[in-house]
């Protein structure tokens, strides 16, 4: 008899979890409190239902080839970066193609998820749900929680003295949908993440003035990189990841900063990272231009509010502010769990590889999508779900919970004492995390073996973008179309751009073009591959670190 699995939420991670259950011959039942799939990607005109949804103008910041389900590429005509409607259409196509909708119970709220009395033997859960006022109870062999990061708006009013005296409008970005209603007003946006940048840019077209306040600053990336190719496809590559492992981090950071400041000097634009703060990145094509044109004014942290103005840390005061929009993120919670599980699941340090809670005797609960990646969250959650379903079936093993819990508790104590840094809120390296989970499943591609068996494919896998299809080449869940998807990924990337064909432009690229594009990276990667196999690599690396650091500092100051 197939094991029954409860899937909580039918968003991006929920529908992929349903599919993964079906692929492993499990029996999923998905509970979704709204009336449709897509989670936050299903746009609504208001947020009265308390659910976090996209704002109307939102455009994806990870390109389609890097943010698709690994066995279901986007149609070639889809734009590389798309609005929320197009992206939701893709989710709908995915659900219909694999016949997933029949497993979803819509307008159903999960009230509680509790361990059964015999949990230590069976690993089973009691799940209580409510549909149209009627409660139902069912027993499940496993549970996959797919409620994501964006559950409860984080509105830190207590951190802003005088905010309760402020007479203007105050709202969280969760409530923001369209720019109508903000025309001609002076608006202060607090928080500079992707959402803060997007909202500030959109409002700057109609508002009298937009002020954008940030504590830390940020590096601003564009959606397109050199030669106009999607930025994600140009930087998330295995050979870059390899280079990052063998070269000094300070040297790589120096190169990165030089590259980013070449587009525009972040310090001149008031965007540079505050000293002592962790570097962060946002994707925004228009923010620098809006600052350059004066439509957006960058400001430091708000020190306090008065009835009509804001006082900033640098001593400046902005008068006659009409609206304050907090783009200060979200908190996540699990109200359907009992303590101590409820609290433990909110601490990523107590989730094994960001998926399995450490305090359970049986690994029958998976938290899917509670991670931050330097890449596509969709791809990461899908791989998590593939792993979790195989753990449920007993095909993949995880270490004993007692051992993991002891290690995590010791680490937590070291963090509290300041011995080690808390990295639980940092974004994870995309390739490193994906490879880690793929290795647990048995789907991580072997690059040396691939070069021996299929050099053309190996070239694309190692030197090209690390697209999700790479994790369908081998092992459980292998997809016969993966090789072709990788070899044709650039065709799908360029297809939506080819709407005006100029006859003379169809000449094949010259050899010099390929040498410029690939010569230096290939040469560097080849040299590093040779060096990595030698015994003196660590010595060379340490020497480089010691010698480069003062040299780079002197260069930067000079």
């Amino acid at each position: 008899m197939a094991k029954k699995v409860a899937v909580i939420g039918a968003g991006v991670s929920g529908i992929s979890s349903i599919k993964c259950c079906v692929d492993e011959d499990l029996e999923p039942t998905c509970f979704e409190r709204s009336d449709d799939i897509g989670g936050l990607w299903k746009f609504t005109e208001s947020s009265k239902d308390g659910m976090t949804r996209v704002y109307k103008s939102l455009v994806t910041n990870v390109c389609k080839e890097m943010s698709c389900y690994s066995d279901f590429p986007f149609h070639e005509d889809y734009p590389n970066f798309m609005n929320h409607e197009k992206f939701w259409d893709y989710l709908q196509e995915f659900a219909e193609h694999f016949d997933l909708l029949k497993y979803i119970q819509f307008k159903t709220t999960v009230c509680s998820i509790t361990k059964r009395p015999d949990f230590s033997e069976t690993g089973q859960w009691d799940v209580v749900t409510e549909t149209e006022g009627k409660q139902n109870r069912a027993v499940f062999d496993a549970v996959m929680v797919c409620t994501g990061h964006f559950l409860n708006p984080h509105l830190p009013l207590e951190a802003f003295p005088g905010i309760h005296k402020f007479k203007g409008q105050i709202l969280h970005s969760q409530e923001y949908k369209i720019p109508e209603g903000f025309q001609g007003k002076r608006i202060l946006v607090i928080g500079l993440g992707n959402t803060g940048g997007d909202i500030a840019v959109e409002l700057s077209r109609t508002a009298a003035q937009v002020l954008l306040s940030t504590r830390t600053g940020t590096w601003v990336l564009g959606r397109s990189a050199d030669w106009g190719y999607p930025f994600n496809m140009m930087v998330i590559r295995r050979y870059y990841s390899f280079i990052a492992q063998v070269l000094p981090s300070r040297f790589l950071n120096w190169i990165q900063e030089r590259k980013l400041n070449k587009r525009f000097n972040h310090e001149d634009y008031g965007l540079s990272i505050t000293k002592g703060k962790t570097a962060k990145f946002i994707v925004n094509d228009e923010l620098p231009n809006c600052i350059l044109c004066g439509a957006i004014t960058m400001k430091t942290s708000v020190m306090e509010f008065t009835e009509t103005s804001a006082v900033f840390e640098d001593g400046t005061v902005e008068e006659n502010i009409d609206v304050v929009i907090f783009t200060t993120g979200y908190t996540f919670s699990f109200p359907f769990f009992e303590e101590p599980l409820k609290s433990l699941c909110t601490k990523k340090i107590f989730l094994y590889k960001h998926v399995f809670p450490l305090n359970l005797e049986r690994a029958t609960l998976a938290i899917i999508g509670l991670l931050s990646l330097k890449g596509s969250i969709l791809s990461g959650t899908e791989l998590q779900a593939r792993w979790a379903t195989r753990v449920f079936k007993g095909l993949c093993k995880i270490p004993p919970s007692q051992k993991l819990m002891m290690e995590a508790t010791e680490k937590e104590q070291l963090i509290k004492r300041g011995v080690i840094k808390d990295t639980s809120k940092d974004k994870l390296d995309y390739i490193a995390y994906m490879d880690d989970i793929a290795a647990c499943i048995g789907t991580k591609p072997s690059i040396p073996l691939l070069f021996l068996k299929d050099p053309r494919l190996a070239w694309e896998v190692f030197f090209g973008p690390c697209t999700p299809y790479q994790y369908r080449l081998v092992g459980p869940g292998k997809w016969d179309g993966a090789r072709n998807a990788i070899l044709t990924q650039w065709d799908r990337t360029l297809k939506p751009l080819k709407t005006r064909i100029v006859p003379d432009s169809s000449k094949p690229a010259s050899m010099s073009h390929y040498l410029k594009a690939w010569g230096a990276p290939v040469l560097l990667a080849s040299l590093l591959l040779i060096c990595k196999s030698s015994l003196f690599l660590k010595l060379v690396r340490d020497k480089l670190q010691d010698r480069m650091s003062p040299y780079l500092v002197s260069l930067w100051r000079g």
Side-chain angles (χ1 to χ4, degrees):
M1 182 178 176
K3 287 187 175 183
K4 296 173 65 177
V5 180
V7 179
I8 316 303
V12 165
S13 56
I15 58 176
S16 64
S17 293
I18 297 170
K19 179 182 177 295
C20 292
C21 286
V22 174
D23 289 345
E24 293 294 342
D25 298 319
L26 301 173
E27 186 181 317
T29 302
C30 179
F31 302 109
E32 169 55 46
R33 60 174 170 160
S34 72
D35 59 0
D36 213 335
I37 66 166
L40 63 86
W41 289 98
K42 182 62 177 178
F43 175 76
T44 57
E45 294 290 344
S46 71
S47 55
K48 291 180 181 178
D49 59 3
M51 295 183 66
T52 301
R53 312 278 192 174
V54 295
Y55 36 94
K56 193 170 186 178
S57 62
L58 185 137
V59 175
T60 58
N61 56 23
V62 180
C63 66
K64 65 178 183 180
E65 290 300 307
M66 301 297 291
S67 189
C68 64
Y69 294 114
S70 56
D71 57 355
F72 194 72
F74 279 88
H75 290 307
E76 61 178 10
D77 292 325
Y78 271 49
N80 286 285
F81 298 94
M82 61 200 75
N83 60 34
H84 64 85
E85 291 176 310
K86 278 279 188 184
F87 189 80
W88 186 87
D89 287 344
Y90 170 74
L91 299 180
Q92 184 73 18
E93 290 165 6
F94 175 80
E96 291 176 353
H97 179 81
F98 293 105
D99 196 21
L100 306 178
L101 297 177
K102 65 184 180 183
Y103 299 103
I104 305 173
Q105 296 182 16
F106 292 106
K107 297 183 178 180
T108 300
T109 301
V110 176
C111 302
S112 67
I113 300 174
T114 54
K115 293 190 289 186
R116 287 181 60 76
D118 58 352
F119 180 84
S120 58
E121 287 82 35
T122 65
Q124 291 183 325
W125 300 85
D126 278 322
V127 178
V128 178
T129 58
E130 183 175 313
T131 307
E132 296 179 350
K134 181 182 178 182
Q135 285 199 347
N136 296 285
R137 181 184 298 270
V139 176
F140 288 91
D141 299 296
V143 176
M144 303 176 80
V145 178
C146 307
T147 51
H149 260 282
F150 307 101
L151 205 59
N152 309 306
H154 176 53
L155 194 60
L157 298 181
E158 67 284 352
F160 296 88
I163 188 68
H164 297 293
K165 295 187 294 184
F166 180 68
K167 292 184 176 181
Q169 182 182 1
I170 299 172
L171 66 152
H172 188 273
S173 55
Q174 186 199 46
E175 303 171 68
Y176 179 83
K177 298 295 179 181
I178 55 177
E180 279 69 33
F182 296 96
Q183 294 93 333
K185 295 185 177 181
R186 285 175 54 79
I187 301 169
L188 170 61
V189 178
I190 296 178
L192 181 50
N194 284 308
T195 300
D198 283 351
I199 292 177
V201 165
E202 180 167 56
L203 290 177
S204 71
R205 301 187 185 109
T206 56
Q209 181 64 49
V210 173
L211 309 166
L212 182 52
S213 169
T214 174
R215 289 184 298 111
T216 62
T218 186
W219 293 106
V220 181
L221 309 173
R223 287 179 173 82
S224 63
D226 294 340
W227 302 295
Y229 297 131
F231 179 82
N232 318 109
M233 295 183 75
M234 299 302 288
V235 300
I236 301 179
R237 301 185 174 212
R238 290 187 177 277
Y239 81 84
Y240 278 148
S241 182
F242 174 73
I243 290 170
Q245 292 175 39
V246 297
L247 287 181
S249 59
R250 291 188 184 184
F251 178 61
L252 293 171
N253 290 339
W254 178 73
I255 292 175
Q256 178 178 264
E257 291 177 12
R258 296 269 295 184
K259 178 78 172 176
L260 292 171
N261 276 325
K262 191 174 181 181
R263 182 183 172 210
F264 68 92
N265 189 303
H266 284 63
E267 185 175 354
D268 290 343
Y269 280 64
L271 292 165
S272 58
I273 303 294
T274 305
K275 188 175 181 180
K277 299 293 184 180
T278 303
K280 69 174 187 175
F281 301 81
I282 67 169
V283 176
N284 199 300
D285 300 300
E286 299 177 65
L287 180 59
N289 290 335
C290 290
I291 296 173
L292 192 63
C293 298
I296 293 177
T297 300
M298 295 304 303
K299 303 295 294 185
T300 59
S301 298
V302 176
M303 190 167 65
E304 65 173 324
F305 282 94
T306 68
E307 292 183 349
T308 59
S309 64
V311 181
F312 297 88
E313 281 190 346
D314 59 3
T316 59
V317 179
E318 292 288 346
E319 303 280 357
N320 303 318
I321 293 175
D322 301 299
V323 183
V324 177
I325 302 177
F326 285 87
T327 62
T328 43
Y330 296 81
T331 59
F332 47 87
S333 61
F334 304 95
F336 35 72
F337 287 147
E338 293 181 314
E339 293 292 0
L341 185 60
K342 181 191 290 188
S343 298
L344 184 134
C345 286
T346 62
K347 300 177 181 180
K348 293 181 182 180
I349 192 175
F350 288 103
L351 294 177
Y352 180 59
K353 296 188 186 297
H354 297 261
V355 177
F356 291 100
L358 304 184
N359 67 333
L360 299 176
E361 314 94 282
R362 299 278 181 173
T364 57
L365 171 64
I367 310 297
I368 307 296
L370 194 63
L371 80 165
S372 297
L373 280 180
K374 296 176 182 177
S376 168
I377 298 297
L378 181 150
S379 304
T381 59
E382 183 196 22
L383 205 56
Q384 286 182 329
R386 290 174 64 188
W387 179 42
T389 50
R390 291 186 65 78
V391 170
F392 295 159
K393 287 191 71 175
L395 299 174
C396 294
K397 304 294 183 183
I398 66 173
S401 61
Q402 290 180 335
K403 177 186 175 184
L404 293 174
M405 194 68 184
M406 183 176 67
E407 291 173 352
T409 302
E410 289 176 358
K411 186 176 179 181
E412 185 182 41
Q413 292 303 315
L414 290 174
I415 291 171
K416 287 180 178 178
R417 286 158 46 195
V419 177
I420 61 174
K421 181 185 175 185
D422 182 7
T423 59
S424 62
K425 294 183 180 179
D426 294 350
K427 287 194 173 186
L428 301 171
D429 180 82
Y430 178 78
I431 294 178
Y433 183 76
M434 295 288 280
D435 278 358
D436 187 24
I437 301 300
C440 296
I441 306 170
T443 59
K444 179 184 174 183
S446 170
I447 306 302
L449 186 61
L450 209 54
F451 267 110
L452 290 174
K453 294 175 61 177
D454 192 339
R456 183 188 175 198
L457 177 62
W459 179 277
E460 288 295 332
V461 169
F462 186 68
F463 291 108
C466 185
T467 44
Y469 322 120
Q470 293 191 11
Y471 300 101
R472 291 283 183 179
L473 288 170
V474 296
K478 177 182 177 181
W479 175 44
D480 291 338
R483 181 182 188 275
N484 184 63
I486 292 170
L487 296 179
T488 58
Q489 57 198 8
W490 284 107
D491 296 334
R492 289 188 299 279
T493 299
L494 296 176
K495 178 65 167 63
L497 305 178
K498 301 293 185 180
T499 55
R500 173 180 174 265
I501 305 299
V502 181
D504 291 340
S505 68
S506 60
K507 297 175 183 177
S510 64
M511 182 59 68
S512 63
H513 169 79
Y514 289 112
L515 287 174
K516 289 177 183 176
W518 294 99
V522 171
L523 179 61
L524 181 56
S526 301
L527 290 172
L528 291 172
L529 277 169
I530 294 169
C531 289
K532 192 176 184 182
S533 63
S534 64
L535 296 174
F536 64 85
L537 172 64
K538 187 176 185 300
L539 177 62
V540 172
R541 184 170 152 188
D542 292 342
K543 291 290 185 182
L544 272 173
Q545 185 82 44
D546 294 338
R547 293 183 181 183
M548 273 294 184
S549 299
Y551 174 67
L552 292 178
V553 170
S554 64
L555 265 181
W556 189 256
R557 289 176 177 171

